[in-house]
Amino acid sequence: MRRRLTAPTFILSSVRTGSTLLRAVLGAHSELHAPHETHLGDITVGFESRQVAASMERLGHTERELRFLLWDAVLAEELARSGKRHLVNKSPNDVFIRDEIAACWPDARFVFLIRHPAAILRSWRNARPYYSRDDLVADIVRYCEAVEAARTELPGPTVRYEDLVGDPAGIVRGLCDFLGVEWEEEMLDYGKAGTDTFVPGLGDWMEKIKSGRIQSDLLVPGPPPPQLKDVCVAWGYPPD
């Protein structure tokens, strides 16, 4: 079925990987609109009577297809309001619905953002100090394994957080090439673009992201727990 949105881009990552920073930088481009987290997976459609189910069936609509139409309408309307040409969407939970995203938009583009898993765990602990260690580790294992599976299933470039903050101009220039837009140096000073949706539940909200400028965070993490060692190896990070 025809979509209103053409070739949307999805950043697939774990939590605490720098995805809010990346979307803020990309959203500072004059042609790229990167809104706060949309949590598409939590938008559902249901038929509340057998009559409407029968009616929609005769129109050729399943609940899944109507859900896709709603996703498309929401993001297309958001892009239209922005006045820009291309949409970049990021919510860490998108990695768990990647097959549905690819089915909804067959022309979707994907960017994979990774970070040393032990650093992700450390950052998640800082953001969720009330979680138990077991819950923290289980969360990050679930996200990282899903990201690695997505990288094997879908096309698209992989960006390391460490490279993004260490060589932002080089990394962002490469992403502009991938997205088919001209490099704009002003993207690196994303605070001047007026990005102000740094609130809990919609992405990172801590003071560093609110500064409006890219800041390095290359503190060498401690050894990862055993559950994350395979992901470290797959991503090229030292497993101990």
Side-chain angles (χ1 to χ4, degrees), residues 13-41:
S13 72
S14 167
V15 293
R16 310 310 299 174
T17 311
S19 59
T20 299
L21 174 63
L22 182 56
R23 76 97 178 159
V25 170
L26 293 178
H29 193 284
S30 63
E31 296 186 24
L32 302 176
H33 180 53
H36 59 256
E37 292 180 5
T38 56
H39 297 283
L40 288 180

Side-chain angles (χ1 to χ4, degrees), residues 4-5 23 32-38 40 70-89 197:
R4 293 172 57 188
L5 200 59
R23 76 97 178 159
L32 302 176
H33 180 53
H36 59 256
E37 292 180 5
T38 56
L40 288 180
L70 181 55
W71 286 1
D72 183 61
V74 168
L75 294 189
E77 181 63 24
E78 175 63 19
L79 180 61
R81 283 200 299 257
S82 76
K84 296 186 178 183
R85 294 180 55 205
H86 306 289
L87 184 122
V88 178
N89 192 77
T197 52

Side-chain angles (χ1 to χ4, degrees), residues 92-139:
N93 283 343
D94 282 353
V95 74
F96 301 118
I97 58 168
R98 58 190 181 276
D99 56 337
E100 293 184 280
I101 290 172
C104 181
W105 295 281
D107 60 351
R109 299 178 291 189
F110 298 94
V111 173
F112 306 100
L113 180 62
I114 64 174
R115 185 183 186 183
H116 195 303
I120 297 174
L121 179 60
R122 182 190 64 218
S123 182
W124 193 226
R125 184 184 300 114
N126 292 338
R128 296 290 188 275
Y130 43 86
Y131 279 19
S132 71
R133 176 169 174 79
D134 286 347
D135 286 343
L136 290 166
V137 172
D139 276 351

Side-chain angles (χ1 to χ4, degrees), residues 7 26 50 55 103 126 143-144 160 172 202:
L26 293 178
R50 60 182 177 83
S55 174
N126 292 338
Y143 276 103
C144 288
R160 293 179 183 271
V172 178
L202 302 181

